[in-house]
Amino acid sequence: GVEGSSVVVATQRTGPITIRRGSLQKGARAAQPPQAHPQQQAQREQQALQQQQPAHHQALSQEAPPQQEQSTAPKSFAGVGMRVHQFSDGRHLQVVAVAPGGPAEAAGLRVGDLLLSVAGKSAVDAMLPDECSSLVRGPIGTEVVIATQRTGPLAMQRRAVAIPQDAATTFLPAHEDPEVADGRVVRMVRQETSPGIGSCGMSYCPTRDRRHTIIYSMREGYPAMASGKVFVGDVILAVDDIVCERIPPSQVAQLLRGPAGTEATFVLRYDPSEFPADALRKVQLTPPPDNITLTPPSTTS
């Protein structure tokens, strides 16, 4: 074209560009523009690309403003106030401590209960105590469902609760405690005392050193007295495979009660000297006969 006039050239990369015509000698090489820094070149190409895009496309392609940093403060986690161990059959987890006033106690969980599932996962044959604890713990205020053989599913709301140390550390499988091996085993079937709930008809109090629970009296017509194998002055060493050393009598009572018609297994040792002095003056002692079998196993009454 005429030297000095303009021409518009459009490319895919740049869009329309206006170029002014000039003279160029034949055979002369076009002047090479100075090479731009790679980063500057990339910026120019990005600007040129945005010029040929619609406005809404440009808005989408622009870098989004930085979002506020999410809080990384940890959530408060809690449980339901229970402790479990591996039951002697190797298949179940058994509740060995329940925090007074905690969600587990409020829902009806008791010492001695055998777990069937925790948070929807089977607790039979495969679950270990640590895994159970991980499933039970969660954010405060959330719900977890625990099912036991005795109760079926129980819904509990997690909250901060502590298990007393005297209840948390003294429950052991009976076969691991040498003291229990010296006792005698008595098996009884719980007799109904209220709808669906049974007991063996015994009253008890702490021993004088408060390490154990000792039988204080028995009710006529109930399994303990009818068995002929249980005596006032018997120290309760274990119930259903749980060693009852330094367990508060209230928790021993939870072990002794259960669904009517179910069997309870006791390990006992006759030792009335363990009575506190004030209790010893009130009880009526009938020592075991000489021919009683004081070593396991005894007959089921």
Side-chain angles (χ1 to χ4, degrees):
V2 179
E3 185 178 353
S5 60
S6 299
V7 64
V8 177
V9 178
T11 72
Q12 190 176 33
R13 182 179 63 82
T14 64
I17 300 175
T18 302
I19 303 174
R20 189 176 185 82
R21 294 183 177 94
S23 60
L24 184 63
Q25 295 182 359
K26 189 176 182 179
R29 299 185 62 179
Q32 297 293 326
Q35 292 293 324
H37 188 276
Q39 185 175 2
Q40 294 175 340
Q41 181 68 22
Q43 290 176 347
R44 289 174 185 172
E45 291 180 358
Q46 179 67 20
Q47 292 173 355
L49 182 60
Q50 289 179 351
Q51 289 176 357
Q52 63 182 357
Q53 292 174 342
H56 73 278
H57 192 172
Q58 293 182 29
L60 291 174
S61 64
Q62 291 174 356
E63 184 178 355
Q67 296 182 353
Q68 286 187 332
E69 185 177 351
Q70 296 290 330
S71 173
T72 58
K75 295 181 179 180
S76 296
F77 280 70
V80 298
M82 74 170 191
R83 192 177 296 267
V84 301
H85 76 171
Q86 195 80 41
F87 191 49
S88 59
D89 64 2
R91 301 184 62 235
H92 293 90
L93 295 179
Q94 185 176 45
V95 177
V96 295
V98 176
E105 183 184 66
L109 202 69
R110 289 202 314 230
V111 170
D113 278 337
L114 299 179
L115 303 188
L116 296 180
S117 66
V118 179
K121 185 172 182 178
S122 174
V124 181
D125 290 329
M127 186 175 291
L128 297 175
D130 287 347
E131 182 183 4
C132 174
S133 177
S134 297
L135 290 171
V136 169
R137 290 182 60 78
I140 290 178
T142 58
E143 186 179 84
V144 61
V145 177
I146 298 172
T148 77
Q149 277 188 354
R150 180 180 61 85
T151 64
L154 297 173
M156 310 172 198
Q157 192 173 69
R158 297 178 174 101
R159 65 178 175 85
V161 59
I163 299 177
Q165 286 301 311
D166 61 352
T169 59
T170 58
F171 290 87
L172 296 171
H175 65 274
E176 295 181 6
D177 191 293
E179 183 181 25
V180 175
D182 296 332
R184 69 185 188 279
V185 176
V186 180
R187 297 181 179 88
M188 295 175 279
V189 176
R190 296 179 176 95
Q191 182 174 321
E192 189 171 53
T193 55
S194 60
I197 302 299
S199 76
C200 296
M202 299 179 293
S203 298
Y204 25 82
C205 66
T207 55
R208 55 187 174 83
D209 61 3
R210 308 191 73 82
R211 290 182 60 235
H212 292 95
T213 298
I214 189 169
I215 297 175
Y216 181 86
S217 66
M218 296 184 290
R219 296 173 61 182
E220 289 189 12
Y222 278 79
M225 181 173 284
S227 72
K229 302 283 187 177
V230 181
F231 303 91
V232 172
D234 272 338
V235 176
I236 301 175
L237 302 178
V239 180
D240 289 339
D241 197 49
I242 295 179
V243 174
C244 297
E245 182 180 359
R246 300 193 184 281
I247 298 177
S250 61
Q251 292 198 17
V252 175
Q254 292 181 353
L255 285 172
L256 298 177
R257 291 193 298 267
T262 58
E263 185 179 78
T265 301
F266 299 82
V267 181
L268 307 172
R269 182 188 68 229
Y270 184 72
D271 189 357
S273 67
E274 291 288 338
F275 271 118
D278 58 340
L280 186 58
R281 289 192 295 266
K282 300 175 183 178
V283 299
Q284 296 180 351
L285 294 176
T286 303
D290 293 337
N291 62 350
I292 188 171
T293 302
L294 295 180
T295 55
S298 68
T299 57
T300 302
S301 63

